[in-house]
């Protein structure tokens, strides 16, 4: 029997990898863990994060810094129990078919790392240690500000008191912290060390393709605060006719949105913040971007073109249902995997978007002007939408979406142009396009 792959060429039949985060608090470990999980899941590689802090909170929901003092025996016992519970759950998850498990904790001592390595090795699970090491005080303070406002440990607490306590927690960890291979006695481990948010990267003993893929992704991310803006093109002439695909010009209302977009961007981005604009190669996205400030660098990407509808390009949904009724039904039943005759599926779009997402992770603030299916796939990446959900996400025309990744999730804001447009959202089984559904409010926080 041929090895099973996940659909993008990665063999996952026997692959089982435990990614072990390492580092002091406020070094972006949870942020990195979340990014790695959503990237792998987006590529259909089963991945899950096991945050030891979440397990610890069942016994100690909002502990003070003293709880993390190594001389606090009760605190030490509870933290060890939390780690054991997280690892036990991870092992059960692997037995159910998990491929990449991420252990999100400080793992700041050699003893703790050896225990994790031995436990995984006994279960034939590969281990990659990923350390985020940082001595940039500005970045550390930035992370502390983020943690004190988003961490469950400090919910409802005075921000300044929380920041002081968190500083003291870090000092307790510093007493015992040993960086990976600091003494030269962990050189047999497989690890990646990210120094000062990517200024220097150390790779050691990467063994196979999936490990390499994970490491390459993590090498390209940064944990500095930034946002990503998403917008569909303005309403097109084919939108007015209810036809999919094509390379149409903007309608009159689409032109209005192109004129309004710079104002929305200025409101959301600000006047001093540099921004790079990415569009597809199709006329309607290029036209939508043409009134943006001249100092914004604009790039066109073929990979951002709309999902290729193949023989159905330029047709209405009623025409597709009449001409290809079996295909129409099959697409509704599995919209993510259905591939138009001679065209693409949502899965295909994700595959061609992977280099774009890698470049997006490397970049600072980016505005992407693209198409409904493409925006859905990008939105699903940031918001960890499932394959079943992502093809049905409402993405209305004439709306700017701002995504800001945080340590514990992604913040969403929308800016509406208040320029009327047809709805291009279609419900299951329907041949007609409808008004954007009420569930939009559960996907987007309107600004």
């Amino acid at each position: 029997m041929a090895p099973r792959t996940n659909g993008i060429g990665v063999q996952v039949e026997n692959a089982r990898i435990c990614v072990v985060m390492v580092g002091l608090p406020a070094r972006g470990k949870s942020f990195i863990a979340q990014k790695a999980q959503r990237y792998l899941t987006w590529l259909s590689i089963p991945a899950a994060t096991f945050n030891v802090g979440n397990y610890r909170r069942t016994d100690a929901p909002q502990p003070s810094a003293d709880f993390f003092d190594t001389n606090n025996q009760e605190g030490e016992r509870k933290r060890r129990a939390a780690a054991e519970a997280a690892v036990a759950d991870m092992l059960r998850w692997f037995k159910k078919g998990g491929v990449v498990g991420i252990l999100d904790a400080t793992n700041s001592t050699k003893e703790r790392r050896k225990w994790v390595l031995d436990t995984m090795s006994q279960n034939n699970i590969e281990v990659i240690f990923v350390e985020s090491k940082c001595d940039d005080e500005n970045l550390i303070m930035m992370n502390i500000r983020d943690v004190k406002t988003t961490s469950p440990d400090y919910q409802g607490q005075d921000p300044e008191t929380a920041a002081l306590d968190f500083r003291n927690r870090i000092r307790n960890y510093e007493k015992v912290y040993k960086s990976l291979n600091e003494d030269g006695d962990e050189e047999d481990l497989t690890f990646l060390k990210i120094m000062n948010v990517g200024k220097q990267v150390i790779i050691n003993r990467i063994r196979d393709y999936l490990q390499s893929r994970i490491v390459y992704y993590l090498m390209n991310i940064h944990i500095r605060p930034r946002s990503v803006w998403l917008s569909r093109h303005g309403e097109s002439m084919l939108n007015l006719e209810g036809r999919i695909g094509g390379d149409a010009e903007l309608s009159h209302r689409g032109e209005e949105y192109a004129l309004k977009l710079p104002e929305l961007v200025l409101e959301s981005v600000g006047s001093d913040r540099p921004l790079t604009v990415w569009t597809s190669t199709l006329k309607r996205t290029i036209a939508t971007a043409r009134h943006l400030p001249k100092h914004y660098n604009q790039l066109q990407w073929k990979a951002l073109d709309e999902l290729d509808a193949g023989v159905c390009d330029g047709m209405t949904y009623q025409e597709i249902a009449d001409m290809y009724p079996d295909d129409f039904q099959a697409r509704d039943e599995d919209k993510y995997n259905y591939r138009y005759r001679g065209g693409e599926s949502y899965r295909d779009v994700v595959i061609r978007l992977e280099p774009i997402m890698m470049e997006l992770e490397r970049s600072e603030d980016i505005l992407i002007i693209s198409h409904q299916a493409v925006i859905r796939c990008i939105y699903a990446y940031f918001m960890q939408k499932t394959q079943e959900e992502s093809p049905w996400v409402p993405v209305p025309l004439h709306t700017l979406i701002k995504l800001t990744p945080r340590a514990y999730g992604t913040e969403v804001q929308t800016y509406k142009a208040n320029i009327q447009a047809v709805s291009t959202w279609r419900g299951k089984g329907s041949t007609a396009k409808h008004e954007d559904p009420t569930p939009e409010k559960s996907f987007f926080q309107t600004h």
Side-chain angles (χ1 to χ4, degrees):
M1 181 182 294
R4 176 174 60 89
T5 72
N6 71 327
I8 58 168
V10 178
Q11 291 187 9
V12 297
E13 181 68 31
N14 298 311
R16 295 192 302 173
I17 298 174
C18 175
V19 177
V20 182
M21 302 306 301
V22 176
L24 292 168
R27 267 60 177 183
K29 297 184 304 301
S30 293
F31 190 58
I32 293 170
Q34 281 219 349
K35 277 178 173 282
Q37 179 189 331
R38 78 182 186 210
Y39 167 73
L40 293 164
T41 303
W42 190 68
L43 292 177
S44 304
I45 299 171
T49 298
F50 299 83
N51 182 291
V52 172
N54 289 338
Y55 288 83
R56 182 262 300 157
R57 288 183 191 100
T58 59
D59 283 334
Q62 290 190 316
S64 69
D66 293 340
F67 178 85
F68 300 91
D69 190 329
T70 53
N71 295 320
N72 183 335
Q73 294 184 0
E74 181 64 9
E76 182 71 17
R77 182 190 67 78
K78 289 183 176 181
R79 288 187 287 124
R80 173 74 185 207
E84 290 173 349
V87 167
D89 277 356
M90 182 186 289
L91 292 175
R92 282 190 283 270
W93 179 78
F94 275 126
K95 287 179 181 177
K96 293 178 181 178
V99 174
V100 180
I102 303 169
L103 185 64
D104 182 12
T106 57
N107 296 304
S108 53
T109 66
K110 294 180 184 179
E111 293 75 21
R112 177 59 59 86
R113 296 195 287 267
K114 184 177 186 304
W115 168 71
V116 175
L117 179 65
D118 290 346
T119 302
M120 294 300 157
S121 297
Q122 290 164 12
N123 289 274
N124 298 313
I125 296 166
E126 302 172 18
V127 176
I128 302 176
F129 293 94
V130 176
E131 180 176 12
S132 180
K133 190 172 183 181
C134 181
D135 54 16
D136 183 328
E137 192 64 23
N138 289 332
L139 185 63
I140 293 169
M141 288 306 299
M142 211 177 306
N143 286 341
I144 288 175
R145 284 194 294 273
D146 187 25
V147 167
K148 76 182 181 185
T149 57
T150 61
S151 170
D153 284 349
Y154 294 106
Q155 281 184 356
Q157 296 189 26
D158 173 71
E160 295 311 312
T161 303
L164 179 61
D165 183 83
F166 195 66
R167 261 294 186 194
N168 289 332
R169 181 189 299 192
I170 294 171
R171 291 191 184 97
N172 282 325
Y173 274 106
E174 286 174 336
K175 296 174 186 175
V176 296
Y177 170 56
K178 279 284 187 179
S179 180
L180 280 167
N181 203 35
E182 183 176 314
D183 301 322
D185 56 355
E186 292 179 305
E187 57 187 14
D188 290 337
L189 301 182
T190 296
F191 65 76
L192 167 68
K193 292 179 75 166
I194 305 170
M195 321 286 283
N196 287 323
V197 296
K199 289 184 179 177
Q200 182 183 10
V201 174
I202 300 172
I203 303 171
N204 193 65
R205 299 180 71 86
I206 303 302
R207 290 181 167 84
D208 57 40
Y209 176 73
L210 185 51
Q211 287 187 4
S212 299
R213 191 160 193 157
I214 294 169
V215 167
Y216 181 68
Y217 172 76
L218 294 177
M219 285 172 58
N220 281 281
I221 67 173
H222 64 67
I223 59 175
R224 291 180 295 275
R226 57 82 178 262
S227 296
V228 175
W229 287 263
L230 306 175
S231 174
R232 290 177 64 186
H233 53 80
E235 180 187 73
S236 74
M237 297 303 293
L238 287 182
N239 289 151
L240 291 175
E241 298 175 19
R243 299 185 181 278
I244 64 175
D247 192 14
E249 305 284 351
L250 295 180
S251 70
H252 175 71
R253 295 185 302 201
E255 292 285 1
E256 285 186 49
Y257 179 65
L259 289 167
K260 179 75 171 181
L261 184 58
E263 180 183 326
L264 295 182
V265 171
L266 183 64
E267 179 187 353
S268 176
V269 180
S271 58
D272 301 328
R273 200 165 173 177
L275 195 67
T276 298
V277 181
W278 295 352
T279 72
S280 75
T281 64
L282 300 177
K283 289 185 287 190
R284 55 194 183 273
T285 64
I286 297 169
T288 303
R290 74 184 188 279
H291 299 298
L292 290 167
K294 299 299 182 186
H295 62 273
Y296 288 174
N297 186 29
Q298 292 197 20
L299 301 173
Q300 296 172 18
W301 296 83
K302 180 70 175 172
L304 290 174
D305 285 1
E306 179 60 299
L307 184 152
D308 184 351
V311 297
C312 297
D313 190 66
M315 296 173 67
T316 66
Y317 286 119
Q318 185 62 61
E319 290 169 346
I320 296 171
D322 292 342
M323 190 170 294
Y324 306 108
D326 292 341
D327 288 58
F328 187 81
Q329 182 179 349
R331 187 164 188 260
D332 272 1
E333 290 173 354
D334 187 3
K335 193 174 179 182
Y336 186 83
N337 289 296
Y338 172 81
R339 180 178 290 126
Y340 280 106
R341 298 185 184 197
E344 292 181 302
S345 65
Y346 271 83
R347 183 182 291 277
D348 294 328
V349 173
V350 165
I351 292 169
R352 68 165 151 96
L353 280 176
E354 188 190 3
I356 292 283
M357 304 313 290
M358 195 72 74
E359 188 62 29
L360 188 60
E361 288 293 359
R362 292 162 55 94
S363 305
E364 297 298 331
D365 297 326
I366 301 289
L367 165 61
I368 297 175
I369 302 175
S370 188
H371 308 266
Q372 181 168 245
V374 174
I375 296 293
R376 281 172 169 165
C377 292
I378 296 172
Y379 184 84
Y381 170 84
F382 282 100
M383 303 305 295
Q384 299 189 58
K385 296 295 177 185
T386 65
Q387 293 178 2
E388 292 75 22
E389 290 177 302
S390 61
W392 300 102
V393 171
V395 186
L397 289 164
H398 301 173
T399 302
L400 179 65
I401 305 165
K402 179 183 180 182
L403 302 176
T404 305
R406 304 288 189 191
Y408 295 89
T410 299
E411 179 184 296
V412 185
Q413 291 177 292
T414 62
Y415 299 78
K416 291 186 175 294
N418 296 320
I419 297 170
Q420 191 175 0
V422 298
S423 169
T424 59
W425 188 87
R426 181 185 68 85
K428 285 187 179 182
S430 172
T431 58
K433 298 181 180 181
H434 304 288
E435 289 302 313
D436 290 319
T438 302
E440 173 193 335
K441 294 176 182 176
S442 67
F443 287 104
F444 302 135
Q445 170 194 340
T446 302
H447 181 88

